Amino acid sequence: MRENHACWEIRPLSNPNISKEEFYRHLVGWAILAPSTHNAQPWRFLLRPVKDSIEMRLDQNYVLPISDPTGRQSFISLGAAYENLKMAANCYGLDCSTAYLSEGINIQLAGNPQLPPLTDDLLLAMKNRMTNRGKFDFSRKIGLKFLRQIKDAAFIFGTDLNLIEDTPTRFAIAELQYLADRYVIARTDFRKELAEYLLPNDSILGRGMPGNTFGLNDDAAKKIHELLKADGLFDPNLAAGFAITNRDAIKSSPLIAVLSAPEDSPIWWIKIGQALERIAILCELEGLSLAINAALIEVGIFNKMLKMRLGAKKRPMAMMRIGYATKSAPHSPRINAVGVMELNDAS
């Protein structure tokens, strides 16, 4: 395993002779397994063991100025990482209380960690979870029990969850996604930003998306990485293929889920991220795969069209497709926990 994938080797703790600082570092190790926009991992963790707290903030160096100009997707990523951290803390018997900050979250931890953990089902689901951008098996339907579970998960955070299973609405959303993808890929600045994160398969970087996470072989991943960096018109066949792939993937999915919130603000973006990650973990526990489609959410005109098509009262903030994957997918790389945290125990 390459060093940039080593974080996926994390294991539940069993040794009770561990300092609070070491335990907090361990919690961060679970947090960073969360998904993030372009796998940019726009987070920093400030550990304060003496104060029983961990502060999470956006790392502005990795907020994407073109595809995420408001920081919405980055805050959603932060919320997903927080949900992982909170679930991990709960597995070890700790309670978490949250204070929302202008650029993040302060987490107060209460209790003494129980080692080994009280349960490791959620920990293993966090470890095994991955984004699967391939097609799903439309013939395999999703049970009502799971649909109720993810509805409840969204409700916990005050968010709305639209579940789309009917063919006319799915196909309409697929076409909107196609148009949104064609719009963004036509922009040179978007393509160049994407090129920084859509990487060759042999990349040793800790951030970004190797081509194999899109089902690309080594040659195709390198070729597309180079073409995205180029000035001028993008190859129209590749542009169409990019959009068609996402459109067809949505059509192949038995379930489309859209999370909405009452306010387009950082607090609600974080809550959307928490709900999204909770749903992703429930998918993993059920043997389901999940993929996130961001362009339809981020391009304002298409977001409004999605909202109208759903008859939603609140703003759509995250859209995902859920189903049984026809092929497995690899994990994305990560910056390890030590690389995204610092210790500060000043009183």
Side-chain angles (χ1 to χ4, degrees), residues 96-139:
C96 298
S97 57
T98 308
Y100 294 99
L101 310 172
S102 60
E103 288 195 0
I105 317 161
N106 188 68
I107 307 133
Q108 201 70 32
L109 297 158
N112 296 312
Q114 303 297 308
L115 299 174
L118 301 175
T119 176
D120 62 4
D121 289 352
L122 289 177
L123 296 176
L124 294 176
M126 281 184 250
K127 174 182 167 64
N128 293 329
R129 183 215 62 83
M130 62 188 70
T131 298
N132 192 317
R133 298 182 177 91
K135 288 188 177 182
F136 298 159
D137 184 351
F138 181 73
S139 67

Side-chain angles (χ1 to χ4, degrees), residues 162-234:
N162 285 88
L163 299 177
I164 300 99
E165 297 178 278
D166 67 285
T167 297
T169 307
R170 280 190 308 104
F171 277 39
I173 290 173
E175 293 302 326
L176 286 176
Q177 181 68 46
Y178 172 83
L179 294 172
D181 283 334
R182 290 302 300 262
Y183 173 83
V184 297
I185 205 66
R187 295 180 54 180
T188 301
D189 55 356
F190 174 86
R191 293 198 306 272
K192 287 190 173 184
E193 183 179 81
L194 179 59
E196 295 179 24
Y197 290 92
L198 204 163
L199 307 173
N201 290 340
D202 59 359
S203 173
I204 61 172
L205 297 178
R207 288 185 171 89
M209 306 168 289
N212 56 18
T213 64
F214 291 85
L216 299 175
N217 63 32
D218 293 351
D219 290 340
K222 289 178 181 178
K223 178 181 178 181
I224 292 176
H225 173 73
E226 293 301 322
L227 288 172
L228 288 169
K229 294 193 297 183
D231 290 317
L233 293 175
F234 190 56

Side-chain angles (χ1 to χ4, degrees), residues 289-307:
S289 292
L290 177 148
I292 301 166
N293 295 87
L296 186 49
I297 296 297
E298 288 303 314
V299 181
I301 183 62
F302 296 115
N303 186 291
K304 291 178 182 178
M305 293 170 74
L306 174 64
K307 183 179 179 181

Side-chain angles (χ1 to χ4, degrees), residues 7-166:
C7 67
W8 295 103
E9 290 297 292
I10 190 170
R11 295 284 189 274
L13 293 172
S14 58
N15 180 12
N17 299 315
I18 186 171
S19 69
K20 188 180 291 186
E21 177 186 337
E22 290 173 306
F23 180 70
Y24 283 13
R25 290 177 186 272
H26 177 71
L27 292 181
V28 172
W30 294 104
I32 64 172
L33 302 184
S36 62
T37 178
H38 281 22
N39 195 31
Q41 303 155 59
W43 44 58
R44 292 290 300 175
F45 299 83
L46 181 61
L47 279 54
R48 296 191 176 101
V50 170
K51 294 185 177 181
D52 299 320
S53 73
I54 298 174
E55 186 175 305
M56 298 177 60
R57 286 189 177 270
L58 284 188
D59 186 337
Q60 292 292 343
N61 294 313
Y62 299 100
V63 176
L64 309 177
I66 306 303
S67 59
D68 188 24
T70 65
R72 183 186 297 111
Q73 295 297 319
S74 296
F75 271 106
I76 290 173
S77 304
L78 195 71
Y82 169 48
E83 189 60 20
N84 265 12
L85 191 150
K86 187 175 73 169
M87 286 190 290
N90 292 162
C91 286
Y92 288 103
L94 273 65
D95 292 323
C96 298
S97 57
T98 308
Y100 294 99
L101 310 172
S102 60
E103 288 195 0
I105 317 161
N106 188 68
I107 307 133
Q108 201 70 32
L109 297 158
N112 296 312
Q114 303 297 308
L115 299 174
L118 301 175
T119 176
D120 62 4
D121 289 352
L122 289 177
L123 296 176
L124 294 176
M126 281 184 250
K127 174 182 167 64
N128 293 329
R129 183 215 62 83
M130 62 188 70
T131 298
N132 192 317
R133 298 182 177 91
K135 288 188 177 182
F136 298 159
D137 184 351
F138 181 73
S139 67
R140 295 186 65 184
K141 301 304 179 183
I142 297 172
L144 290 175
K145 179 181 177 181
F146 174 78
L147 299 181
R148 287 194 296 268
Q149 286 178 330
I150 60 175
K151 273 281 193 180
D152 290 344
F155 179 78
I156 289 171
F157 302 104
T159 62
D160 286 358
L161 182 65
N162 285 88
L163 299 177
I164 300 99
E165 297 178 278
D166 67 285

